[in-house]
Amino acid sequence: MSDVLSNDLMQKMDAYWRAANYLSVGQIYLQDNPLLEQPLQLEHIKPRLLGHWGTTPGLNLLYVHLNRLITEHDLDMIYIIGPGHGGPGLVANSYLEGSYTERYPAIERNRNGLQRLFRQFSWPHGVPSHVSPETPGSIHEGGELGYSLAHAYGAAFDNPDLIVACIVGDGEAETGALATSWHSNKFLNPARDGAVLPILHLNGFKIANPTVLARISRQELTDLMRGYGYEPIVVEGDEPALVHHALAAALDRALADIQAIQAAARHQGVTARPRWPMIILRTPKGWTGPKQVDGKQVEGTWRAHQVPIADFKDPAHVQLLETWLRSYRPEELFDANGKFRDELAALAPTGHCRMSANPHANGGELLQPLSLPDFRNYAVALSAPGAAKAEATRALGTFLRDVMRDNLETKNFRLFGPDETASNRLDGVLEVTDKQWMADIEDVDIALGPDGRVMEVLSEHLCQGWLEGYLLTGRHGLFSCYEAFIHIIDSMFNQHAKWLKACDAIPWRRPIASLNYLLTSHVWRQDHNGFSHQDPGFIDHVVNKKASVVRVYLPPDANCLLSVADHCLRSRNYVNLIVAGKQPEWQWLDIDAAVRHCTAGAGIWHWASNDDGDPDVVMACAGDVPTVETLAAVMLLREYVPDIRIRVVNVVDLMVLQPSSEHPHGLDDRRFDELFTVDKPVVFAFHGYPWLIHRLTYRRRNHFNIHVRGYKEEGSTTTPFDMVVLNDLDRYRLALDAIRRIPRLAGQVESATDRYWATMQRHKLYIGEHGDDMPEIRDWRWQA
Amino acid sequence: MSDVLSNDLMQKMDAYWRAANYLSVGQIYLQDNPLLEQPLQLEHIKPRLLGHWGTTPGLNLLYVHLNRLITEHDLDMIYIIGPGHGGPGLVANSYLEGSYTERYPAIERNRNGLQRLFRQFSWPHGVPSHVSPETPGSIHEGGELGYSLAHAYGAAFDNPDLIVACIVGDGEAETGALATSWHSNKFLNPARDGAVLPILHLNGFKIANPTVLARISRQELTDLMRGYGYEPIVVEGDEPALVHHALAAALDRALADIQAIQAAARHQGVTARPRWPMIILRTPKGWTGPKQVDGKQVEGTWRAHQVPIADFKDPAHVQLLETWLRSYRPEELFDANGKFRDELAALAPTGHCRMSANPHANGGELLQPLSLPDFRNYAVALSAPGAAKAEATRALGTFLRDVMRDNLETKNFRLFGPDETASNRLDGVLEVTDKQWMADIEDVDIALGPDGRVMEVLSEHLCQGWLEGYLLTGRHGLFSCYEAFIHIIDSMFNQHAKWLKACDAIPWRRPIASLNYLLTSHVWRQDHNGFSHQDPGFIDHVVNKKASVVRVYLPPDANCLLSVADHCLRSRNYVNLIVAGKQPEWQWLDIDAAVRHCTAGAGIWHWASNDDGDPDVVMACAGDVPTVETLAAVMLLREYVPDIRIRVVNVVDLMVLQPSSEHPHGLDDRRFDELFTVDKPVVFAFHGYPWLIHRLTYRRRNHFNIHVRGYKEEGSTTTPFDMVVLNDLDRYRLALDAIRRIPRLAGQVESATDRYWATMQRHKLYIGEHGDDMPEIRDWRWQA
């Protein structure tokens, strides 16, 4: 192996690495004496030791080597850390290159700053032990494992000059999300997108076990990587000087390969999917840490995972820690004031070239608003409520087509979905762009190509992970998914929502575009798909997160969906959940009425009401199917019980139901009472699990009178109308619910019940005999 | 290629395949004229066409070929169908071999039965279009994709004579769960476990897109499979006779390889991990279906995914369908009465050798109860409530160790977890068994080996999928996981809970052991892990599922945890969720009191109460940390407000809070009111999100007086006590909540508030200055 590093450079890089390691160990252990100017004493050591050492030296090694690559080649690079518990290493490197002090001025580049840096780590109200939103340069929370590589690809899309170095831990490599993320290279176009350089770091151990990929043969591992479509470059060793040279050579080669691939695609017209380079780096876990503690091997074992030396009541342990810290020769690294020596600091890139200060990793700095056509132009024309049917998502698809078209040039909008864009009737967008595809293309394929902006892969994890990476680097997107299966990424949503919530308290994190979900093919319209496809619980899951970052919309028709979608695409730092069906369904509001209704979030539909301000009953609804059933129930009630006074309330923004003290969209109590009364029965037909409405309204004055119908885990392969019958959400049941709850109609309940059952029997027969069974109301005769 | 099939056998197998295909097409299309005894007319065709043809012919082909293997080699084999939308094929094969009629006698083996078979498919209250619990021989719901291979391995564990043929769809192969499931071969011991034969079926398309694995080179694909540790055998073609021969040869070779591997491990002492065979089968999507419809290519494209011919108002389409159906030559397959011809039926195995009647696929038939030691023997000794501290999960670990030991011989119990068994302090089990590991082992490894029964891999998907497969084939297990990250398998839980609920209505499905979760390292004790590790929402997710299949337990101490765990391990057909901390924590109940308390589900803790049946306030709690804080609040209140009358109610079985009409464990109203009163303030300290308590109790008479504290998405890397402070669940806040709600104490609120803040300030300092901050109550002085 020829040495790609001069001896001087290698020595300096090694010193830089030692500095990062020293700062990492210092963060884990020290509360005082940061430069070891005195012999180490028990009182210098934190009383409670928390942190993860094991992965950190490898991350630090890679950092200094990537810095060399950046400075030598003037690269635009960010760094994504899969083994996120190596938090101290990232903080250390940000500190060494100055960006940490820029973001957090109290952490000065001197002795005092060092002490504060050490002390704040894993300290109450300090910084977490894993990479987090507080870490400069990070777009990837290091808590839950498995999403690094998907985030990396999301960041690289449409950033042709960016290289995303992505460290994949061999622990996280066992997760499902990561295992499929390698295939992202079939969706990255070297002519248009940036590059991802995956670096699989085999340190061999998890908390208490070896890792799978570290315990298969090198042949199997390189076969695996080749099978995933990469060309692996293997670096392994435990002798720093040798590893420095080998790693430098590997990175040079990887960069050359990336540049050759990009040049071929960009200048020589090569369109075939390239074999991208990736690096396999095998180094000991807890490398440069104590070899043994109390006679047990630590370096190179799982014992190095967290805090390798503990129990400092044993003076020998204090001595061992001091020896370990001094092995980095801090006096060579920091000057007498505790400032990192200039000749070493000079190794780092400067300004925005520092990975910890790259604006791509604080995407809000780069965010450009979308160019949005006027959504009103895509409205479904409507002469009166109930005068037409339309497919809500198809109307949205036309709007999205033009959103796509109007932002093709700026290349900052993509649509994500697991093979469902057409099924969910958003295929209008395919008129202006393809589905992205770098694998082989055959004659039968349609709308598939290397420049597509619709990202379809049968992995909700990849859709979510790519979109998160895309948003966090300052772009826009929308994820459409079957409602039931969005639970696959419940946990990823959690982590993103927590990221956004944490950013609320970090002033330098600039707002990013919201993460927008469109859930369709929803619980009420599964048709040939049965019970396994019915689950509206993602709404509940979302509502559990902090009110400041979550919004839930249930547009009752196409025009409301358009209004809501436009709003969501303009919003920042939220997760917006939209649930809307794709089937032909009755339309209620013209576009102006829809805008007013969506702006208010909820309102009385006067055209369907006849309460004159004093209802016998409030018929409330949220969701498209519940709205149809509620209005059909109102029609029935008017026919059967002509003197009944009914108020219809539709809720499109679910969060209005919460008290204003709980959610910024919450109606104040006066306004809520104006809609729902303070003492009249409310029959509430809800898209999701009924108890959510109780949860949101339990502090409201009239809560005791609210009677909710919704999905209660009944259903099978059956017709749409049977679905609402099975879950007691059908028009007959709602009408009966209303009659039952109006005291002056008590005597009519029995006859109404009889009629209900008689009608139901007819419909049961109908369900049995016919394919499509929805009892149609062909003329919605709304009285003045 | 030499022909492994005689021409006669090949012809018969082809006829059998045609029969299965005919029945599949019939199910999708026909409501009458099942034998095509008349020319096909519009009225014979269902009015609403739903189903998935594309994957079905491939599944049918594999079925008849596996049948040959079973009969020729007397195999014990089950069949797991990843591309689960091929439901009609599985129903067809079960019908052909008689098991369908045994399970559903109305579906006779004659013309009438055929008509009913066709008609019920994708028909209201009929059978779903995907493989489901109603399908004989299935342990794998075909709705959500990605779990087939994990289920297959779970089924194979501890079933040495079983071969699980697992058809992996190239669509589902893109999912995260499936992508990591291939690595399951590092956890399967050929000496002790059965075999899994993965068959990757490349039919090339999803709903609207090609699949990734069908559009990479054969070299990449075989590299990938070799990298995963398999030896791929490739079969491809679109000429039936050639494919029959090639597939038969491939299956012979795969079986020979499996048998050689097993013989080597079982009789020749070979311990190295073998390279298991797998098959890659590439055939056209919708093979044998219409080549073209309306001038567009259908066979071999995504257009064959669902219903290849639709719109039968066009008479040419009726003709096309008839031609398609007749291409299978039904008159050669069924006799004049519609009975499958004997000489073809004779190809199938008989009795329990039929894959559709194999008892492993109806695991309850094989279920043996666990041998359980008396959990009372593992109790934490306690002289009085609060007299000792203990780690609850460590006590459980000792019990589980002996559960493991006592069932080593029957080999029907395993523990599953993502690298956390030791971290969660269940490592007692490692005294009697290893962690299962077939990859390389090094000197530093401990408790790792090929005969282990603790399944650790850093993939919650694999833990869950393996356990599901293990339970569904009649065994027992427990999955322990960090609370926050169990959301990774939210969707898998959904599917399993739905499976169990569906089985309630299928008498021939015998009860199986419950799926038991132990969530620990919970939201309140994350210490160095920060906000990303804090999420108690899995409880909410579970409670959304049908009451008949879900149970949630929050044992307040070690002895209650033991009692609950024993109960869960004996239960059947439930999902039991247990949440319990691993940290040293105060203990409250001796084992007899714990049993009584857990049996009741909730109760007044008289030793902590002084209400004499007439409380000023009810202090309720559920969860270990909330219980400590509640009791500490009670101590404070007694000191600060001596004449207050307090009742302490602890809830261990969360479902008791629901009305008895909603959940079988629900307390009746009288009993609920006895605990919580009908008019006194209730301060409820809850482990999870507070609104869940409102949701569960909103129908209770005293609901309006229930004031709940719980997790509200506040937290960071901080101390345990600070966590409860940040979320208003600390003892001071709870005490203040109580005082504020007692009318006669209204005057004391102000001084109490002052004291609260003064105390908190002291504690804030304490939090800032010290590592471990829990304000200890060293003497829980309970008055009589």
Side-chain angles (χ1 to χ4, degrees), chain B residues 51 62 84 104 169 172 181 194 200 240 289 349 447 458 466 493 521 573 715 732:
Chain B
L62 285 163
Y104 305 100
E172 72 164 335
S181 292
L200 176 63
L458 213 164
W466 290 344
F493 154 80
S521 302
N573 271 8
Y732 307 108

Side-chain angles (χ1 to χ4, degrees), chain A residues 209 456 490 498 534 722, chain B residues 125 209 445 456 490 498 534:
Chain A
N209 285 296
E456 294 212 344
D490 272 5
K498 282 176 176 282
Q534 296 158 356
D722 193 39
Chain B
H125 304 273
N209 285 296
D445 296 328
E456 293 212 342
D490 272 5
K498 282 176 177 282
Q534 296 158 356

Side-chain angles (χ1 to χ4, degrees), chain B residues 636-651:
Chain B
L636 288 170
L637 284 168
R638 289 202 185 175
E639 186 180 336
Y640 283 62
V641 199
D643 63 338
I644 196 172
R645 294 188 310 278
I646 304 172
R647 171 182 296 175
V648 174
V649 172
N650 182 270
V651 177

Side-chain angles (χ1 to χ4, degrees), chain A residues 247-260:
Chain A
L247 181 56
L251 285 168
D252 279 355
R253 182 181 146 199
L255 180 64
D257 288 352
I258 288 171
Q259 290 175 332

